[in-house]
Amino acid sequence: MKTLLVLVIVVLGCAYTRGEEPNLFLVDAGLYLKDDAGEIQSGHEGLLVVHFAESPNTDDWWMSGTVCDDSFNSHAANLTCQYLGFRYAETWGSCSSRTYIPESDLEEKDIQILIDEVECGEEDTRITDCRANILEEHDCGRSENVWLECAGPEWQLHSAHLVRWNDQTQSLNEGREGFLLVRLTDGTEQGDEPAPFGSVCDDYFDDHAANLSCQYLGHKFAEAWGSEPENFEFVPEEIVETIRPDSDRRCAM
């Protein structure tokens, strides 16, 4: 029986009929590998593992498993990477070509194949739109477990600021000159979660880049710009170490 994958991601409506065990919900997923130190790490590439629980709001009674490569295609790989917070799948395959976690580890932790026959059509824009066999009998072996190598998030400029340290308020004040701090976003921030911020290194930075930066900030051009040691005039070195800014510039109004 084919089941809409949206039932797994949003509210799993399929019972895992093994004895009296309850319905399960997909609560998490990730890409995992075993590093040189023997530790299991998660990141942008590795074995695709899904995690089920009795309730979507609990960490109790977790059950983890893998996804079989039957019917899995490049479109499904891209949609899966996007669901996991990445841009697309740079490459993918089954464990017959790459082994991220040894089969003995999967057996020891009782990691079974839980999803099979993932079918994503061209019209599907999210992995939750695809169809799959979920928690059902299958004819897959561990060598058919799906692995993915996903491209990292696409960072875009969120905002930029010229700041100076204020000793009285113990804070950074904005103006037309000072450290250049930028905030980046990959579009995954939620609610009041701030986008990450940092500085701009002066490698290959030139007068034209300085002028364009000042214009982006709403000024006419850069009257001056530079880096160490002038940057410490705007922000003390001990504060610099916490935010690691590398450039400063002064903009004409």
Side-chain angles (χ1 to χ4, degrees):
M1 179 186 70
K2 293 292 183 182
T3 307
L4 278 175
L5 193 57
V6 66
L7 295 178
V8 184
I9 303 299
V10 181
V11 177
L12 179 67
C14 304
Y16 180 63
T17 55
R18 187 176 66 185
E20 298 299 322
E21 289 169 351
N23 291 351
L24 299 179
F25 296 81
L26 182 69
V27 293
D28 198 8
L31 302 176
Y32 298 87
L33 58 81
K34 190 172 187 178
D35 63 19
D36 293 338
E39 300 293 329
I40 302 297
Q41 305 288 348
S42 63
H44 76 284
E45 69 172 301
L47 179 69
L48 176 60
V49 178
V50 293
H51 306 288
F52 291 89
E54 291 182 85
S55 165
N57 301 313
T58 182
D59 292 334
D60 296 334
W61 207 86
W62 271 44
M63 178 182 185
S64 299
T66 57
V67 178
C68 181
D69 65 358
D70 289 352
S71 301
F72 202 87
N73 58 21
S74 295
H75 186 42
N78 287 329
L79 294 179
T80 302
C81 283
Q82 291 165 13
Y83 173 80
L84 294 172
F86 303 103
R87 286 184 289 166
Y88 57 86
E90 291 185 331
T91 185
W92 70 276
S94 63
C95 289
S96 59
S97 57
R98 291 191 191 181
T99 302
Y100 284 99
I101 299 178
E103 185 173 327
S104 58
D105 287 17
L106 298 178
E107 292 176 351
E108 179 183 348
K109 298 181 183 298
D110 194 27
I111 304 297
Q112 303 296 322
I113 297 172
L114 301 183
I115 298 179
D116 183 25
E117 297 289 350
V118 177
E119 296 182 1
C120 296
E122 293 182 359
E123 70 282 1
D124 296 323
T125 58
R126 299 173 299 177
I127 192 63
T128 55
D129 296 332
C130 303
R131 304 180 72 86
N133 290 341
I134 303 158
L135 301 175
E136 297 181 6
E137 292 185 2
H138 59 79
D139 58 358
C140 300
R142 293 191 186 277
S143 64
E144 298 175 86
N145 285 334
V146 171
W147 58 261
L148 295 162
E149 184 176 342
C150 300
E154 184 174 7
W155 295 102
Q156 297 180 347
L157 183 63
H158 178 274
S159 61
H161 314 269
L162 294 176
V163 299
R164 178 191 293 270
W165 182 254
N166 187 317
D167 283 328
Q168 292 183 338
T169 62
Q170 294 290 292
S171 62
L172 295 171
N173 293 341
E174 286 193 65
R176 72 176 187 88
E177 63 176 329
F179 271 120
L180 176 65
L181 295 183
V182 295
R183 286 192 178 275
L184 303 177
T185 179
D186 63 356
T188 61
E189 297 85 8
Q190 298 182 359
D192 297 329
E193 180 184 356
F197 76 97
S199 59
V200 178
C201 181
D202 62 1
D203 289 352
Y204 300 104
F205 200 88
D206 59 15
D207 292 344
H208 185 48
N211 286 330
L212 292 177
S213 298
C214 283
Q215 290 165 15
Y216 174 84
L217 292 165
H219 307 291
K220 291 189 294 184
F221 57 87
E223 291 183 334
W225 71 274
S227 57
E228 190 178 6
E230 291 179 318
N231 47 16
F232 297 133
E233 297 176 7
F234 296 99
V235 181
E237 185 171 2
E238 61 270 21
I239 305 299
V240 171
E241 290 301 319
T242 65
I243 57 177
R244 298 182 179 179
D246 299 291
S247 294
D248 73 81
R249 44 193 96 146
R250 302 177 182 87
C251 297
M253 297 299 291

